[in-house]
């Protein structure tokens, strides 16, 4: 059963009797920990708990922040199922628009993000979704996605929606553009493969067939992730007799900003 989260740098001994912390390796020069922010965006299950908060709640806050940063005139909000659903619900709630399902997912097809080549990813998308056309025919649709990595997944989805009667398709992305490779073990493509680094990105809406495309800002993502952590720290601090300064909060945003938490050695 779930016991507790292992802290960054923590060495844990698990036995039949108990769980013991043997040591916690500090970051050099007192730097804050650098938990992968993309876990919150995409990789983790929504019921996962990191840093004392549920991933689902963070994704919903990302959607709310995205609605503040990038509202649009539309009739309904939907999602690319299923990891973007919490963000879509947050966006719809903040905008006052109905949340409506427009795609149904074939649960027997794996994630297209990790397919080894573009042809397989595009075939995967074609098999992955069915269209609920009665729910959006003749309407302006906002589709919330959690990320656009290469641009291969979202393009056929937009084509499906248009062919099935959508009047407009606006894409809102609940994370910033991914621009840099990850050297800490996450499967992110090479810099050249990332759509945010290619010439097509300058006219991305036209390239993928959407009426508009807007990403969440880096600042918006970081604030959505850290809001609950900061509030909890401040609450704990207020309960102490001798108040101490609220500790630093750290997350790795290297794939978004190019600022790596450790110095790269080649």
């Amino acid at each position: 059963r779930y016991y507790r989260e292992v802290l960054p740098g923590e060495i844990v001994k698990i036995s039949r009797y108990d769980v013991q912390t043997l040591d916690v390796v500090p970051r050099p020069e007192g730097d804050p920990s650098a938990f992968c922010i993309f876990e919150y965006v995409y990789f983790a299950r929504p019921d996962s708990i990191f840093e004392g908060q549920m991933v689902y709640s963070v994704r919903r806050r990302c959607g709310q922040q995205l609605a503040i940063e990038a509202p649009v005139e539309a009739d309904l909000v939907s999602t690319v199922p299923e990891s973007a659903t919490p963000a879509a619900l947050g966006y719809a709630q903040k905008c006052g628009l109905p949340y409506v399902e427009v795609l149904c997912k074939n649960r027997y097809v794996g994630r297209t993000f990790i397919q080894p080549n573009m042809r397989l990813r595009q075939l995967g998308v074609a098999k992955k979704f069915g269209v609920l056309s009665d729910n959006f025919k003749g309407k302006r649709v906002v589709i919330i996605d959690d990320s656009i990595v290469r641009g291969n997944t979202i393009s056929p989805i937009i084509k499906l929606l248009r062919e099935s009667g959508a009047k407009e398709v606006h894409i809102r992305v609940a994370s910033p553009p991914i621009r840099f490779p990850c050297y800490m073990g996450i499967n992110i493509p090479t810099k050249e493969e990332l759509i945010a680094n290619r010439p097509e990105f300058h006219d991305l809406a036209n390239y993928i067939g959407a009426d508009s495309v807007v990403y969440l800002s880096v600042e918006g993502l970081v604030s959505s992730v850290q809001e609950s952590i900061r509030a909890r720290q401040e609450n704990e601090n207020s309960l102490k007799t001798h108040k101490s300064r609220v500790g630093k909060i750290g997350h790795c945003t290297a794939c978004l900003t190019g600022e790596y938490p450790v110095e790269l050695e080649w």
Side-chain angles (χ1 to χ4, degrees):
R1 67 182 177 87
Y2 175 79
Y3 183 73
R4 70 166 173 81
E5 191 175 1
V6 178
L7 300 173
E10 183 181 14
I11 302 171
V12 175
K13 177 186 176 183
I14 302 174
S15 71
R16 61 189 296 184
Y17 304 108
D18 60 7
V19 177
Q20 292 182 334
T21 298
L22 300 183
D23 194 10
V24 178
V25 181
R27 289 268 285 136
E29 300 175 5
D31 290 339
S33 62
F35 185 87
C36 173
I37 209 162
F38 212 62
E39 287 282 358
Y40 285 108
V41 170
Y42 181 80
F43 287 116
R45 278 174 38 154
D47 60 341
S48 301
I49 296 174
F50 297 138
E51 303 175 297
Q53 59 184 345
M54 189 169 285
V55 169
Y56 184 100
S57 300
V58 173
R59 290 176 180 168
R60 186 176 59 203
R61 287 200 297 272
C62 287
Q64 292 169 338
Q65 180 62 29
L66 184 59
I68 293 169
E69 295 183 11
V72 63
E73 290 289 326
D75 300 305
L76 60 92
V77 176
S78 196
T79 183
V80 179
E82 294 168 342
S83 50
T85 300
L89 289 166
Y91 188 98
Q93 178 191 26
K94 197 71 175 176
C95 285
L97 292 171
Y99 170 81
V100 180
E101 291 184 337
V102 300
L103 298 166
C104 61
K105 188 175 181 181
N106 178 353
R107 299 179 186 276
Y108 302 100
V109 177
R111 287 191 161 181
T112 51
F113 172 84
I114 58 174
Q115 293 293 337
N117 61 57
M118 185 176 74
R119 176 65 178 157
L120 285 175
R121 284 190 290 274
Q122 290 176 333
L123 286 172
V125 171
K127 293 187 293 183
K128 195 171 184 176
F129 298 110
V131 184
L132 305 173
S133 55
D134 284 356
N135 290 355
F136 62 87
K137 196 172 291 183
K139 295 181 178 178
R140 300 167 298 175
V141 181
V142 182
I143 295 291
I144 309 297
D145 203 354
D146 50 26
S147 57
I148 297 179
V149 180
R150 299 178 181 91
N152 297 325
T153 302
I154 195 68
S155 188
I157 286 172
I158 296 167
K159 187 169 182 285
L160 268 176
L161 296 175
R162 288 201 186 279
E163 289 173 350
S164 301
K167 184 179 179 182
E168 296 176 8
V169 181
H170 299 274
I171 303 300
R172 296 293 180 269
V173 189
S175 67
I178 301 170
R179 299 180 183 275
F180 301 91
C182 176
Y183 300 106
M184 271 67 75
I186 300 299
N187 179 24
I188 287 179
T190 62
K191 205 169 181 179
E192 293 72 30
E193 286 183 275
L194 295 167
I195 190 71
N197 294 327
R198 287 161 50 189
E200 296 90 339
F201 188 72
H202 299 294
D203 190 12
L204 184 57
N206 183 58
Y207 178 71
I208 65 176
D211 290 278
S212 68
V213 181
V214 184
Y215 285 79
L216 182 63
S217 67
V218 174
E219 296 76 17
L221 174 61
V222 171
S223 67
S224 298
V225 169
Q226 295 185 354
E227 177 185 315
S228 178
I229 301 170
R230 199 172 299 281
R232 187 177 64 255
Q233 282 190 352
E234 290 172 353
N235 182 57
E236 290 171 355
N237 196 46
S238 68
L239 296 174
K240 293 177 182 177
T241 307
H242 302 288
K243 291 187 179 181
S244 58
R245 188 169 60 86
V246 174
K248 294 181 188 176
I249 305 170
H251 290 92
C252 179
T253 60
C255 60
L256 314 174
T257 63
E259 297 173 8
Y260 294 90
V262 293
E263 189 174 342
L264 301 177
E265 296 180 3
W266 305 103

